[in-house]
Amino acid sequence: MDAQRLKDNFAHVAEQGDAVALFFYSDLFVRNPHLRDMFPVGMTGQRDKLLGALGRIVAQADDLPTLVPFLQQLGRDHRRFGIIAEHYPHVGASLLATLRHFSGSTWTDEVAEDWSAAYTLVAKVMLEAADEDALTRPAWWNGQVIGVERRRFDIAVLRIQPDRPLPYLAGQSVAVEVPSRLRQWRYYSMANAPRPDHTVDFHVRLVDGGPVSSVLVRSMQTGDHLRMGAPIGTLTLDESSGRDVLLVAGSTGLAPLKAILEQLARRPIPPRVHLFFGARNRDGLYDLEDLTKLAHEHAWLTVVPAVSDESAGHGFSTLLQSGDGDVEYGNLPDVVARHGPWSAHDAYVCGPSEMVGRTVERLTLLGLERARIRLETFADAQR
């Protein structure tokens, strides 16, 4: 298998954009109509994920130590869709047909052999990971909604009771599917550390056009049911570290960091923790009352709320008054920076991608090693 030849061929094919994925799924369903019910009614998101996964696989074709864990996670994730070994040859046949179609005159026997070898390897790694995962975990957990709090028009906090213990680490996430949006799985982070009663909380923000978030925020009621995939994610606490902790959360990116905070609170001697919670306006600080209460209960915890789109009054003050105390004004990365230095801390950052990127940039400029800034990096992370 010539990795560079694969990259060159895929670069040529990918120039056709969404037409590639459209052709692939059309070919797959025409050849195998029984597979159509395994996919969502609307395929736009699915087509985007296909091209994204293919691009990553090809880009890392000559870096197996990096590629294999990604493929293993894909194999485990596909269990919840009902994908089994007999489906892989069908997918492979349609993939090769698609690549051949869009390659045109650049398609050769050598390129065909490269893709065949690559797909054989991909399928082998994914199937082995799925089979191993099936020995210890179900493909999904059934959950019942036992509590709903609508904190504002576009944010809800849900408490779910799984039908069996859901083993996870604070900071991890699960894919969620609701009955009215079958096969449209979206990832949400648990907002609590594991509990004896096994219940989990989700903080859900309504995403414009989001098929799953719209149901969870607007329609979900106590007694309703949903399904949850296996926990994944790397935004987890470094238990070996004795350093103080910095948590930076934008909007519902608070959820995994609140779970980490809860885990820290269970230590006999917790470290000093600074939690920065940001939103566009004060109404967006949907969990500030609870966070303020926690800060009053724990002397080692400092909570700093911040808003970016409200004036602090003639520009002379960085503080806004609220019923829960002082709220700082400014973009979250700037607020975090002016409270530094943070070079001796471990940092955990979650929220909108732009905010996360700017926060990481500011923290590294302030001397915090990038290796001690943890973000969410799990595969297929579509919410």
Side-chain angles (χ1 to χ4, degrees), residues 22-269:
L22 183 61
F23 184 99
F24 167 79
Y25 282 112
S26 297
D27 185 85
L28 180 65
F29 298 149
V30 167
R31 294 173 185 246
N32 311 279
H34 64 286
L35 297 182
R36 182 61 183 90
D37 287 343
M38 301 178 71
F39 293 84
V41 175
M43 292 291 292
T44 301
Q46 191 68 31
R47 292 196 295 268
D48 292 342
K49 287 192 283 187
L50 171 70
L51 290 176
L54 277 175
R56 179 167 178 174
I57 290 169
V58 172
Q60 297 175 344
D62 51 359
D63 183 13
L64 290 182
T66 302
L67 177 59
V68 167
F70 171 72
L71 295 177
Q72 290 172 329
Q73 187 59 58
L74 278 183
R76 291 188 287 264
D77 286 345
H78 276 67
R79 290 187 59 219
R80 67 175 183 267
F81 297 103
I83 304 296
I84 57 177
E86 68 182 47
H87 297 142
Y88 280 80
H90 302 315
V91 172
S94 290
L95 176 61
L96 289 175
T98 302
L99 294 165
R100 181 172 58 250
H101 175 80
F102 287 99
S103 294
S105 61
T106 66
W107 186 259
T108 65
D109 290 343
E110 290 77 13
V111 171
E113 291 173 1
D114 288 337
W115 277 110
S116 179
Y119 184 75
T120 298
L121 174 63
V122 167
K124 180 177 183 295
V125 173
M126 290 179 64
L127 277 170
E128 288 178 350
D131 289 343
E132 182 179 358
D133 192 57
L135 296 176
T136 57
R137 300 195 295 189
W140 62 76
W141 283 254
N142 293 306
Q144 183 176 22
V145 180
I146 61 172
V148 179
E149 294 181 48
R150 290 187 167 83
R151 299 288 178 86
R152 45 177 272 170
F153 77 96
D154 62 346
I155 294 178
V157 175
L158 308 177
R159 179 158 295 182
I160 311 298
Q161 179 71 66
D163 61 344
R164 69 195 80 184
L166 177 68
Y168 69 93
L169 300 175
Q172 288 192 306
S173 306
V174 294
V176 173
E177 180 199 54
V178 294
S180 60
R181 299 290 188 272
L182 292 179
R183 295 171 293 281
Q184 297 192 48
W185 296 81
R186 296 295 183 269
Y187 280 100
Y188 295 96
S189 301
M190 282 71 72
N192 60 284
R195 297 170 174 150
D197 65 1
H198 307 299
T199 58
V200 295
D201 293 348
F202 294 122
H203 294 184
V204 185
R205 182 175 63 86
L206 179 65
V207 177
D208 187 25
V212 177
S213 65
S214 62
V215 174
L216 294 175
V217 172
R218 293 175 172 171
S219 305
M220 196 62 69
Q221 301 290 337
T222 300
D224 288 346
H225 291 82
L226 49 72
R227 296 199 297 184
M228 298 173 288
I232 64 171
T234 58
L235 186 62
T236 54
L237 187 64
D238 181 2
E239 291 284 14
S240 66
S241 173
R243 289 180 285 267
D244 288 341
V245 173
L246 169 65
L247 305 175
V248 184
S251 188
T252 50
L254 173 66
L257 304 191
K258 191 172 183 182
I260 290 173
L261 177 62
E262 189 173 310
Q263 184 175 345
L264 287 167
R266 295 175 182 177
R267 289 183 178 180
I269 304 178

